[in-house]
Amino acid sequence: MDITNNLITLADGNQMPQEGFGIYKITDQTELTNSVHAAYEAGYRLFDTAQMYQNEDLLGKALADLDVSRDNLFIATKVNEANQGYESAIASVKESLKKLKMDYVDLLMVHWPINTEFFNTWRAFEELKKEGLTRSIGVSNYGMIHLQYLATQAHEMPVINQIECHPWLNQKPLLKFDQENHIVTQAWSPLGRGQILDHPILQAIAATHGKTPAQVVLRWHLQNGVAIIPKSVHPSRIKENADIYDFELSDAEIAKIETINWNHRISKEPEMVYEFGEQYPYKKK
């Protein structure tokens, strides 16, 4: 097994690579094109973008330049808060598809839950899937309570929940809930934006396997059944992040990594975004 053929079957029957490539904050065309081409060469087939990232058009051009069959790609994007609502979500997804130069995406996600358009947005997603503009529908940054609330009106539940997840925030209760409800958990910032990689436990386990701490963390995610979308603009690191299929962590090593958890978020609290209806500022001014 390697990055190209390590696939997860979603609840709707579609298959998705367990490891993909994130392009958050890559907004230069040359840099993005070079990164996407390096990722494809390393075996990545899933590319994750979002309306909020303002690079859907750049990804569309990079993939067009790559000139590979659409069937060899798995493309995911997300609808931002400003575009939520029934008509707004549908219109914005059609605009995203124009930017991506595609007839459909493989996965469409609600980027953050917001209280004002919570059900209307999901109703739009169900319609977009019926129209064939997306093959699968999912959510991002939903907590357990948001998924339970969605289930009261949804005709079809999300197949993916993309959340912040790393050794500082291992999200065990939510991972268990997602699994019990046939929802694949996908980790954004799976490496904790690099802030966790100097932890002595990760350093020691990495030395044992002749791997880097980043490779150990990504392998930990895989063995927990979590999908991942690491991001880098450096070809060597892009390749390194894909080179995690030739070793396995022991149960004892996984247990040690679990002790690093202290429920620390690097980004925003989903419930506060839900209440405010937008991503709130969270750094000191």
Side-chain angles (χ1 to χ4, degrees):
M1 180 183 293
D2 60 26
I3 187 173
T4 305
N5 58 32
N6 180 25
L7 304 176
I8 294 176
T9 300
L10 306 175
D12 59 12
N14 294 324
Q15 288 191 312
M16 180 188 79
Q18 188 173 1
E19 182 173 6
F21 187 72
I23 62 169
Y24 177 52
K25 287 190 173 179
I26 309 178
T27 54
D28 176 80
Q29 183 67 71
T30 300
E31 187 173 55
L32 192 147
T33 296
N34 290 340
S35 299
V36 165
H37 287 209
Y40 191 87
E41 181 67 25
Y44 295 83
R45 297 296 180 263
L46 187 165
F47 295 90
D48 177 274
T49 185
Q51 294 171 352
M52 188 195 83
Y53 302 168
Q54 298 184 354
N55 58 15
E56 290 173 314
D57 55 338
L58 306 185
L59 177 60
K61 186 176 187 308
L63 293 173
D65 291 346
L66 191 60
D67 193 26
V68 298
S69 169
R70 177 66 178 87
D71 292 340
N72 288 338
L73 300 170
F74 188 105
I75 306 302
T77 194
K78 311 173 198 77
V79 171
N80 67 17
E81 298 84 84
N83 289 332
Q84 289 194 40
Y86 185 79
E87 293 181 357
S88 297
I90 290 175
S92 75
V93 169
K94 290 179 178 178
E95 183 62 27
S96 289
L97 290 173
K98 288 180 183 177
K99 291 178 179 178
L100 289 164
K101 306 183 194 309
M102 293 178 178
D103 297 325
Y104 69 92
V105 288
D106 297 274
L107 174 63
L108 180 68
M109 289 171 278
V110 184
H111 205 152
W112 290 85
I114 61 172
N115 73 87
T116 52
E117 298 291 352
F118 189 79
F119 292 114
N120 287 334
T121 301
W122 191 250
R123 188 162 55 90
F125 273 45
E126 292 176 332
E127 181 60 29
L128 287 160
K129 185 180 177 186
K130 286 179 185 176
E131 292 180 16
L133 300 184
T134 182
R135 290 187 169 175
S136 296
I137 51 177
V139 294
S140 180
N141 300 301
Y142 275 46
M144 194 184 300
I145 191 65
H146 304 120
L147 293 167
Q148 291 170 326
Y149 189 38
L150 185 62
T152 65
Q153 292 192 26
H155 294 97
E156 180 178 348
M157 284 295 285
V159 296
I160 297 283
N161 185 19
Q162 186 186 103
I163 60 173
E164 179 182 347
C165 184
H166 43 73
W168 276 353
L169 183 72
N170 67 30
Q171 301 262 35
K172 283 298 182 182
L174 184 52
L175 264 61
K176 183 174 183 288
F177 178 87
D178 284 352
Q179 184 178 33
E180 289 173 348
N181 289 275
H182 313 291
I183 300 169
V184 170
T185 303
Q186 187 178 60
W188 62 258
S189 191
L191 299 172
R193 294 182 180 164
Q195 297 178 31
I196 61 173
L197 299 181
D198 60 353
H199 195 286
I201 287 176
L202 299 176
Q203 296 271 347
I205 294 173
T208 298
H209 292 278
K211 292 289 184 177
T212 66
Q215 288 172 317
V216 166
V217 173
L218 295 177
R219 183 70 201 184
W220 168 74
H221 282 297
L222 292 191
Q223 289 184 222
N224 277 334
V226 175
I228 50 176
I229 46 169
K231 169 227 164 180
S232 179
V233 296
H234 306 290
S236 61
R237 196 161 299 158
I238 290 169
K239 187 175 180 180
E240 175 188 303
N241 288 343
D243 185 22
I244 56 174
Y245 297 88
D246 59 351
F247 76 108
E248 188 169 331
L249 300 173
S250 68
D251 291 343
E253 288 171 329
I254 289 175
K256 284 182 181 179
I257 295 172
E258 306 292 356
T259 67
I260 298 174
N261 179 66
W262 57 297
N263 298 317
H264 173 71
R265 288 188 183 277
I266 292 171
S267 188
K268 301 171 179 66
E269 166 56 55
E271 180 56 31
M272 290 185 68
V273 177
Y274 175 79
E275 293 172 5
F276 280 117
E278 61 183 3
Q279 294 185 56
Y280 59 92
Y282 63 98
K283 292 184 178 179
K284 290 182 180 179
K285 294 181 180 179

